[in-house]
Amino acid sequence: MEEEKELLENTNIKPSIARVKVLEYLRNNKTHPTVEEIYTSLAEEIPTLSKTTVYNTLELFENNGLARIVNVGENESRYDADISNHGHFKCDGCGRVYDFRVNMEALETRGLEGYKIWEKHLYYRGICSRCRD
Amino acid sequence: MEEEKELLENTNIKPSIARVKVLEYLRNNKTHPTVEEIYTSLAEEIPTLSKTTVYNTLELFENNGLARIVNVGENESRYDADISNHGHFKCDGCGRVYDFRVNMEALETRGLEGYKIWEKHLYYRGICSRCRD
DNA sequence: TATAAAAATGTAATAATTACAACCATGCTC
DNA sequence: GAGCATGGTTGTAATTATTACATTTTTATA
Ligand SMILES: [Mn+2]
Ligand SMILES: [Mn+2]
Ligand SMILES: [Zn+2]
Ligand SMILES: [Zn+2]
């Protein structure tokens, strides 16, 4: 709450209720929630919240390095307050989206000479160990 | 045309006109087209084609290892007849989606012990060399 | 308080995707 | 070959995610 407020202020974003709460939600729920999930969770305590505001807020966060969009091959985007380069694993059994550590800087690529890269995204799909048991 | 027909037959998929044409399109246009692009391109020569058929066909191809879905952080999926593990680069200047070679097998990951992985997807975003000049 | 600027909202349009009903081709029975 | 059943194929229509934009509300400043 206070921490999120500060974080927003340090990024020169006005800490409105919606913004503080969305950021807080993202930092407390590392499940890579969808807009829908964020919206329905927060709508209880912020009855005036609209889904569009959630969209706007997340886009603002993305543009200011406070969140990243996470894409795991669904037709709905997810969001993550962890902006480090890490991988995501989507389990086709339980639907969960897990983090995994990976050294993406070490990846050698062929065919991108002279390209300016500003985002790297890696995701796997399969079955998690819980669902395999 | 004939080649695609055979490829479908070898995969035990009945080679209907729509299927042959979509596969042919994918194999001739390595631009990672969207459903919309495939549909509008083929609609001229197959006036009876519907967009849903394109969706159905691509899903069928995906399930049978004839195509892969390509996701580069847009809200529209793209498709690729190249099913090898390779990376995609989306240029935020011209919008093109480029291939690049990368050894994904060599990637060391932490946190996926005991997970069954059946798909790996890697994409970058940035500006291509043409757009930088 | 008045004014301006920024933020949040809602409506409605758009665009992607999916569910399911209708259609059609193939093979079988008579 | 006509009728009929089956499964495969197609398309209409509904649903859902996202965006555009105009309006309202809040906040900051004078
Ligand atoms: Mn993550
Ligand atoms: Mn490709
Ligand atoms: Zn699972
Ligand atoms: Zn470019």
Short mmCIF file of all heavy atoms in Angstrom, two decimals, chain B residues 14 19 48 50 52-53 56 75, chain D residues 8-13 18-19:
data_model
loop_
_atom_site.label_atom_id
_atom_site.label_comp_id
_atom_site.label_asym_id
_atom_site.label_seq_id
_atom_site.Cartn_x
_atom_site.Cartn_y
_atom_site.Cartn_z
N LYS B 14 -8.01 -35.37 -44.53
CA LYS B 14 -8.62 -35.33 -45.86
C LYS B 14 -8.29 -34.01 -46.55
O LYS B 14 -8.55 -32.94 -45.99
CB LYS B 14 -10.14 -35.49 -45.75
CG LYS B 14 -10.54 -36.90 -45.42
CD LYS B 14 -11.95 -37.16 -45.91
CE LYS B 14 -12.42 -38.54 -45.47
NZ LYS B 14 -13.87 -38.74 -45.65
N ARG B 19 -8.29 -26.89 -47.07
CA ARG B 19 -7.10 -27.33 -46.35
C ARG B 19 -5.85 -27.25 -47.21
O ARG B 19 -4.80 -26.78 -46.76
CB ARG B 19 -7.32 -28.76 -45.85
CG ARG B 19 -8.32 -28.80 -44.72
CD ARG B 19 -8.76 -30.20 -44.39
NE ARG B 19 -9.64 -30.20 -43.24
CZ ARG B 19 -10.17 -31.31 -42.73
NH1 ARG B 19 -9.92 -32.48 -43.27
NH2 ARG B 19 -10.95 -31.22 -41.68
N THR B 48 -16.30 -19.32 -51.56
CA THR B 48 -17.17 -19.92 -50.55
C THR B 48 -16.48 -20.04 -49.19
O THR B 48 -17.09 -20.45 -48.21
CB THR B 48 -17.60 -21.33 -50.98
OG1 THR B 48 -16.43 -22.14 -51.14
CG2 THR B 48 -18.36 -21.30 -52.28
N SER B 50 -14.99 -19.45 -45.57
CA SER B 50 -15.35 -18.61 -44.43
C SER B 50 -14.17 -18.51 -43.48
O SER B 50 -13.27 -19.34 -43.48
CB SER B 50 -16.55 -19.19 -43.69
OG SER B 50 -16.13 -20.16 -42.78
N THR B 52 -14.15 -18.88 -40.33
CA THR B 52 -14.17 -19.99 -39.37
C THR B 52 -13.46 -21.21 -39.92
O THR B 52 -12.76 -21.91 -39.19
CB THR B 52 -15.62 -20.37 -39.04
OG1 THR B 52 -16.31 -19.19 -38.66
CG2 THR B 52 -15.66 -21.37 -37.92
N THR B 53 -13.64 -21.45 -41.20
CA THR B 53 -12.94 -22.58 -41.81
C THR B 53 -11.44 -22.40 -41.69
O THR B 53 -10.70 -23.35 -41.42
CB THR B 53 -13.36 -22.72 -43.28
OG1 THR B 53 -14.75 -22.99 -43.33
CG2 THR B 53 -12.61 -23.85 -43.95
N ASN B 56 -10.62 -23.26 -38.12
CA ASN B 56 -10.70 -24.71 -37.91
C ASN B 56 -9.52 -25.43 -38.56
O ASN B 56 -8.91 -26.33 -37.96
CB ASN B 56 -11.99 -25.26 -38.51
CG ASN B 56 -13.21 -24.78 -37.75
OD1 ASN B 56 -13.11 -24.36 -36.60
ND2 ASN B 56 -14.35 -24.82 -38.41
N ASN B 75 -2.82 -8.90 -30.14
CA ASN B 75 -4.01 -9.62 -29.73
C ASN B 75 -4.61 -10.42 -30.88
O ASN B 75 -5.79 -10.67 -30.94
CB ASN B 75 -5.05 -8.68 -29.12
CG ASN B 75 -5.58 -7.69 -30.11
OD1 ASN B 75 -5.06 -7.55 -31.20
ND2 ASN B 75 -6.62 -6.99 -29.73
P DG D 8 -14.60 -38.34 -38.79
OP1 DG D 8 -13.37 -39.16 -38.68
OP2 DG D 8 -15.15 -37.66 -37.60
"O5'" DG D 8 -14.37 -37.26 -39.94
"C5'" DG D 8 -14.41 -37.68 -41.30
"C4'" DG D 8 -14.84 -36.50 -42.15
"O4'" DG D 8 -16.22 -36.17 -41.86
"C3'" DG D 8 -14.02 -35.22 -41.87
"O3'" DG D 8 -13.68 -34.70 -43.13
"C2'" DG D 8 -15.01 -34.31 -41.12
"C1'" DG D 8 -16.34 -34.76 -41.71
N9 DG D 8 -17.53 -34.53 -40.88
C8 DG D 8 -17.79 -34.99 -39.61
N7 DG D 8 -18.96 -34.64 -39.15
C5 DG D 8 -19.53 -33.92 -40.19
C6 DG D 8 -20.81 -33.29 -40.29
O6 DG D 8 -21.71 -33.24 -39.45
N1 DG D 8 -20.98 -32.66 -41.53
C2 DG D 8 -20.05 -32.64 -42.53
N2 DG D 8 -20.39 -31.99 -43.64
N3 DG D 8 -18.85 -33.23 -42.46
C4 DG D 8 -18.67 -33.85 -41.26
P DT D 9 -12.66 -33.50 -43.24
OP1 DT D 9 -11.86 -33.66 -44.46
OP2 DT D 9 -12.00 -33.32 -41.93
"O5'" DT D 9 -13.65 -32.27 -43.46
"C5'" DT D 9 -14.46 -32.26 -44.64
"C4'" DT D 9 -15.37 -31.06 -44.60
"O4'" DT D 9 -16.34 -31.20 -43.56
"C3'" DT D 9 -14.66 -29.72 -44.35
"O3'" DT D 9 -14.77 -28.98 -45.55
"C2'" DT D 9 -15.41 -29.12 -43.16
"C1'" DT D 9 -16.72 -29.90 -43.14
N1 DT D 9 -17.41 -30.09 -41.84
C2 DT D 9 -18.70 -29.60 -41.70
O2 DT D 9 -19.30 -29.01 -42.58
N3 DT D 9 -19.27 -29.83 -40.46
C4 DT D 9 -18.69 -30.48 -39.39
O4 DT D 9 -19.31 -30.62 -38.34
C5 DT D 9 -17.35 -30.97 -39.60
C7 DT D 9 -16.63 -31.68 -38.50
C6 DT D 9 -16.77 -30.74 -40.80
P DT D 10 -14.25 -27.52 -45.64
OP1 DT D 10 -14.01 -27.26 -47.08
OP2 DT D 10 -13.18 -27.32 -44.65
"O5'" DT D 10 -15.52 -26.67 -45.20
"C5'" DT D 10 -16.71 -26.77 -45.99
"C4'" DT D 10 -17.80 -25.96 -45.34
"O4'" DT D 10 -18.08 -26.50 -44.04
"C3'" DT D 10 -17.47 -24.48 -45.12
"O3'" DT D 10 -18.33 -23.73 -45.94
"C2'" DT D 10 -17.72 -24.24 -43.64
"C1'" DT D 10 -18.54 -25.44 -43.22
N1 DT D 10 -18.38 -25.92 -41.83
C2 DT D 10 -19.48 -25.92 -40.99
O2 DT D 10 -20.58 -25.50 -41.33
N3 DT D 10 -19.24 -26.38 -39.73
C4 DT D 10 -18.05 -26.88 -39.23
O4 DT D 10 -17.96 -27.28 -38.08
C5 DT D 10 -16.94 -26.86 -40.16
C7 DT D 10 -15.60 -27.36 -39.72
C6 DT D 10 -17.16 -26.38 -41.40
P DG D 11 -18.12 -22.16 -46.09
OP1 DG D 11 -18.58 -21.75 -47.43
OP2 DG D 11 -16.76 -21.84 -45.64
"O5'" DG D 11 -19.17 -21.60 -45.03
"C5'" DG D 11 -20.53 -21.98 -45.17
"C4'" DG D 11 -21.34 -21.45 -44.01
"O4'" DG D 11 -20.97 -22.12 -42.79
"C3'" DG D 11 -21.15 -19.96 -43.73
"O3'" DG D 11 -22.41 -19.47 -43.34
"C2'" DG D 11 -20.19 -19.94 -42.55
"C1'" DG D 11 -20.69 -21.16 -41.78
N9 DG D 11 -19.73 -21.78 -40.87
C8 DG D 11 -18.39 -21.96 -41.06
N7 DG D 11 -17.81 -22.58 -40.06
C5 DG D 11 -18.84 -22.82 -39.16
C6 DG D 11 -18.83 -23.45 -37.90
O6 DG D 11 -17.88 -23.95 -37.31
N1 DG D 11 -20.10 -23.49 -37.32
C2 DG D 11 -21.23 -22.97 -37.89
N2 DG D 11 -22.36 -23.08 -37.20
N3 DG D 11 -21.26 -22.37 -39.07
C4 DG D 11 -20.04 -22.33 -39.65
P DT D 12 -22.83 -17.98 -43.72
OP1 DT D 12 -23.47 -18.04 -45.05
OP2 DT D 12 -21.69 -17.07 -43.48
"O5'" DT D 12 -23.95 -17.68 -42.65
"C5'" DT D 12 -24.91 -18.69 -42.34
"C4'" DT D 12 -25.30 -18.61 -40.88
"O4'" DT D 12 -24.30 -19.23 -40.04
"C3'" DT D 12 -25.47 -17.18 -40.35
"O3'" DT D 12 -26.69 -17.14 -39.63
"C2'" DT D 12 -24.26 -16.96 -39.45
"C1'" DT D 12 -24.02 -18.37 -38.94
N1 DT D 12 -22.62 -18.66 -38.52
C2 DT D 12 -22.40 -19.38 -37.37
O2 DT D 12 -23.30 -19.78 -36.66
N3 DT D 12 -21.08 -19.61 -37.08
C4 DT D 12 -19.98 -19.22 -37.81
O4 DT D 12 -18.85 -19.50 -37.45
C5 DT D 12 -20.28 -18.46 -39.01
C7 DT D 12 -19.17 -17.97 -39.88
C6 DT D 12 -21.56 -18.23 -39.30
P DA D 13 -27.31 -15.76 -39.09
OP1 DA D 13 -28.73 -15.70 -39.50
OP2 DA D 13 -26.38 -14.66 -39.46
"O5'" DA D 13 -27.24 -15.95 -37.51
"C5'" DA D 13 -27.05 -17.26 -36.98
"C4'" DA D 13 -26.45 -17.13 -35.60
"O4'" DA D 13 -25.01 -17.34 -35.65
"C3'" DA D 13 -26.63 -15.75 -34.96
"O3'" DA D 13 -26.89 -15.97 -33.59
"C2'" DA D 13 -25.28 -15.08 -35.19
"C1'" DA D 13 -24.37 -16.27 -34.95
N9 DA D 13 -23.01 -16.13 -35.47
C8 DA D 13 -22.57 -15.41 -36.55
N7 DA D 13 -21.27 -15.48 -36.74
C5 DA D 13 -20.83 -16.31 -35.72
C6 DA D 13 -19.56 -16.79 -35.36
N6 DA D 13 -18.44 -16.49 -36.03
N1 DA D 13 -19.47 -17.60 -34.29
C2 DA D 13 -20.59 -17.90 -33.61
N3 DA D 13 -21.84 -17.52 -33.85
C4 DA D 13 -21.89 -16.72 -34.93
P DT D 18 -7.51 -8.96 -23.84
OP1 DT D 18 -6.14 -9.35 -24.17
OP2 DT D 18 -7.91 -8.70 -22.44
"O5'" DT D 18 -7.85 -7.67 -24.70
"C5'" DT D 18 -7.65 -7.73 -26.11
"C4'" DT D 18 -8.15 -6.45 -26.73
"O4'" DT D 18 -9.56 -6.31 -26.54
"C3'" DT D 18 -7.52 -5.19 -26.16
"O3'" DT D 18 -6.72 -4.66 -27.19
"C2'" DT D 18 -8.72 -4.31 -25.79
"C1'" DT D 18 -9.84 -4.93 -26.60
N1 DT D 18 -11.24 -4.76 -26.10
C2 DT D 18 -12.13 -4.07 -26.88
O2 DT D 18 -11.83 -3.59 -27.95
N3 DT D 18 -13.40 -3.97 -26.35
C4 DT D 18 -13.85 -4.48 -25.15
O4 DT D 18 -15.00 -4.33 -24.79
C5 DT D 18 -12.86 -5.20 -24.37
C7 DT D 18 -13.23 -5.81 -23.06
C6 DT D 18 -11.62 -5.30 -24.88
P DT D 19 -5.87 -3.33 -26.93
OP1 DT D 19 -4.70 -3.41 -27.81
OP2 DT D 19 -5.75 -3.07 -25.49
"O5'" DT D 19 -6.85 -2.22 -27.54
"C5'" DT D 19 -7.29 -2.38 -28.87
"C4'" DT D 19 -8.24 -1.25 -29.22
"O4'" DT D 19 -9.48 -1.39 -28.50
"C3'" DT D 19 -7.71 0.15 -28.93
"O3'" DT D 19 -7.88 0.88 -30.12
"C2'" DT D 19 -8.60 0.64 -27.79
"C1'" DT D 19 -9.89 -0.12 -28.05
N1 DT D 19 -10.81 -0.40 -26.91
C2 DT D 19 -12.14 -0.10 -27.04
O2 DT D 19 -12.61 0.41 -28.03
N3 DT D 19 -12.91 -0.42 -25.95
C4 DT D 19 -12.48 -1.00 -24.77
O4 DT D 19 -13.27 -1.25 -23.87
C5 DT D 19 -11.07 -1.29 -24.70
C7 DT D 19 -10.51 -1.92 -23.47
C6 DT D 19 -10.31 -0.97 -25.76
#
